[in-house]
């Protein structure tokens, strides 16, 4: 006799749960579909065309764009080589600096909260604004310091020479991202069991041995996250790059993102530009996947 009302009650609960799910998750899914998924598949389609991004006529050319990239586009491969070198240098320096700051500010410093805020602040500044600020520092600030102190480092043409322009971009990227990595490392360090460190010190372990043998193995998941974030951000660098050097001098610091942007929106080769973007997406996805698998494997071994 009571089974029918109970079944109806359960059905109403399911409907309420479904409506709540749609109300809270539906808008996010809709925006993700419209902004991410649909444009991605449209990009795949346009990569097989010769569309210029303006006209209504879209001519299907098959694999012609991809063949052109591999056979007759030296600038794209030069930009990819620059981006790869930049990624390696930026990931290493950003994580070393972030980890060093985390170790320093995880102690019992009275000003540690203030210092954490100060070091994190560059991360909330927009990349374009950050690039223009540092462009002024490199061009005007360093030149003034060089005249006053006669120190050779400050007298270099930082953004006017290929080698120094490369390191200039690395410095700005590391300065922006190190604070973000610092926060992740601090969170991981605070989860380390202090009794393990105290036991190691009682047994006579040096600070270096405690760091290498205990702390680093215990926070490997944080390294996995930070390496993934900095790798993906370094590969996709655009705003800092374009505001600091605009790919110069002589296209020596042109990243893949700038090369794709120019191909699609300046030269109106939208089909070729999207083909480069799809190819770049596959390479970055493969590289970051391998990196995560390798670091995860290290976590399991430990």
């Amino acid at each position: 006799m009571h089974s029918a009302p109970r079944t109806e009650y359960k059905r109403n609960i399911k409907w309420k749960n479904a409506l709540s799910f749609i109300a809270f998750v539906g808008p996010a899914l809709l925006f993700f579909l419209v902004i991410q998924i649909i444009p991605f598949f449209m990009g795949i389609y346009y990569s097989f065309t010769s569309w210029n991004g303006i006209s209504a006529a879209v001519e299907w050319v098959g694999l012609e764009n991809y063949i052109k990239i591999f056979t007759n586009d030296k600038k794209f491969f030069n930009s990819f080589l620059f981006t790869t070198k930049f990624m390696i240098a930026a990931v290493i320096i950003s994580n070393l600096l972030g980890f060093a700051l985390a170790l320093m500010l995880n102690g019992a410093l009275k000003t540690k909260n203030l210092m954490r805020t100060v070091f994190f602040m560059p991360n909330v500044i927009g990349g374009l604004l950050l690039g223009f600020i540092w462009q002024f520092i490199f061009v005007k600030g360093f030149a003034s310091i060089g005249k006053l102190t006669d120190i050779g480092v400050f007298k270099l043409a930082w953004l006017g020479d290929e080698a120094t322009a490369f390191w200039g971009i690395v410095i700005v990227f590391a300065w922006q991202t190190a604070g973000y990595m610092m926060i992740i490392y601090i969170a991981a360090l605070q989860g380390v069991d202090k009794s393990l460190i105290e036991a190691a010190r009682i047994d006579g372990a040096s600070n270096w041995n405690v760091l290498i043998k205990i702390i680093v193995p215990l926070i490997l998941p944080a390294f996995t996250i930070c390496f993934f974030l900095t790798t993906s951000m370094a590969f996709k660098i655009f705003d800092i790059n374009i505001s600091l050097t605009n790919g110069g001098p002589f296209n020596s610091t042109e990243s893949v993102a700038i090369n794709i942007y120019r191909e699609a929106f300046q030269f109106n080769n939208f089909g070729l530009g999207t083909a480069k973007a799809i190819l770049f997406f596959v390479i970055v996805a493969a590289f970051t996947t391998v990196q995560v698998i390798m670091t995860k494997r290290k976590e399991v071994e430990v």
Side-chain angles (χ1 to χ4, degrees):
M1 293 292 292
H2 298 287
S3 60
R6 191 173 297 169
T7 303
E8 186 67 25
Y9 174 76
K10 290 182 178 179
R11 188 180 297 116
N12 290 337
I13 291 295
K14 288 181 178 179
W15 271 107
K16 287 181 179 179
N17 291 336
L19 289 174
S20 298
F21 178 82
I22 293 171
F24 285 102
V25 182
L29 287 175
L30 179 63
F31 278 109
F32 181 72
L33 183 68
V34 173
I35 296 173
Q36 296 284 345
I37 302 300
I38 293 176
F40 176 76
F41 284 103
M42 288 177 65
I44 293 175
Y45 167 73
Y46 285 126
S47 70
F48 295 102
T49 70
S50 62
W51 188 42
N52 62 8
I54 300 173
S55 66
V58 180
E59 182 184 356
W60 181 269
V61 295
L63 294 174
E64 184 178 314
N65 289 327
Y66 293 95
I67 294 171
K68 186 176 181 179
I69 292 170
F70 284 103
T71 59
N72 193 29
D73 202 331
K74 188 177 179 181
K75 284 184 66 177
F76 178 74
F77 281 97
N78 287 338
S79 66
F80 185 79
L81 181 62
F82 162 78
T83 306
T84 304
K85 291 192 297 183
F86 169 79
M87 182 273 299
I88 294 170
V91 167
I92 293 172
I93 294 173
S94 297
N95 282 280
L96 283 177
L97 185 57
F99 185 56
L101 291 173
L103 288 174
M104 181 179 70
L105 299 179
N106 192 48
L109 293 174
K110 291 183 179 179
T111 59
K112 64 181 180 180
N113 291 331
L114 175 63
M115 296 300 292
R116 289 175 186 178
T117 304
V118 170
F119 287 125
F120 183 75
M121 281 296 291
N123 189 70
V124 302
I125 303 174
L128 281 173
L129 179 60
L130 198 67
F132 286 125
I133 292 171
W134 272 91
Q135 186 186 66
F136 176 81
I137 293 172
F138 281 129
V139 176
K140 300 292 184 180
F142 278 19
S144 299
I145 296 172
K147 287 179 181 179
L148 291 173
T149 61
D150 202 34
I151 298 175
V153 173
F154 296 107
K155 299 172 74 174
L156 295 173
W158 272 90
L159 301 181
D161 182 74
E162 180 179 344
T164 52
F166 171 84
W167 288 110
I169 299 171
V170 172
I171 289 169
V172 177
F173 179 87
W175 187 75
Q176 182 188 34
T177 57
Y180 186 22
M181 302 305 111
M182 174 196 70
I183 297 299
I184 298 174
Y185 285 128
I186 287 175
L189 288 170
Q190 290 179 345
V192 175
D193 190 352
K194 299 297 187 293
S195 62
L196 294 174
I197 298 175
E198 292 172 1
R201 294 192 189 283
I202 292 171
D203 289 338
S206 64
N207 290 334
W208 177 253
N209 285 330
V210 170
L211 177 65
I212 298 301
K213 302 289 186 179
I214 298 176
I215 294 177
V216 171
L218 289 175
I219 65 168
L220 276 179
F223 281 99
T224 300
I225 296 169
C226 290
F227 283 160
F228 172 78
L229 290 174
T230 49
T231 298
S232 60
M233 287 189 291
F235 260 128
K236 297 183 294 185
I237 185 172
F238 177 80
D239 45 6
I240 292 176
N241 193 185
I242 204 166
S243 58
L244 270 178
T245 64
N246 197 26
F250 308 109
N251 296 322
S252 61
T253 62
E254 182 182 81
S255 66
V256 174
I258 292 179
N259 182 273
I260 293 170
Y261 167 79
R262 287 175 174 167
E263 192 71 65
F265 299 105
Q266 290 187 357
F267 306 145
N268 292 329
N269 296 324
F270 199 86
L272 183 59
T274 51
K276 290 181 178 182
I278 296 300
L279 184 62
F280 186 49
F281 166 78
V282 172
I283 293 171
V284 173
F287 192 93
T288 51
T289 301
V290 170
Q291 175 260 311
V292 170
I293 290 172
M294 290 177 64
T295 49
K296 282 289 185 183
R297 191 174 296 166
K298 285 289 183 182
E299 293 177 28
V300 174
E301 289 175 2
V302 172

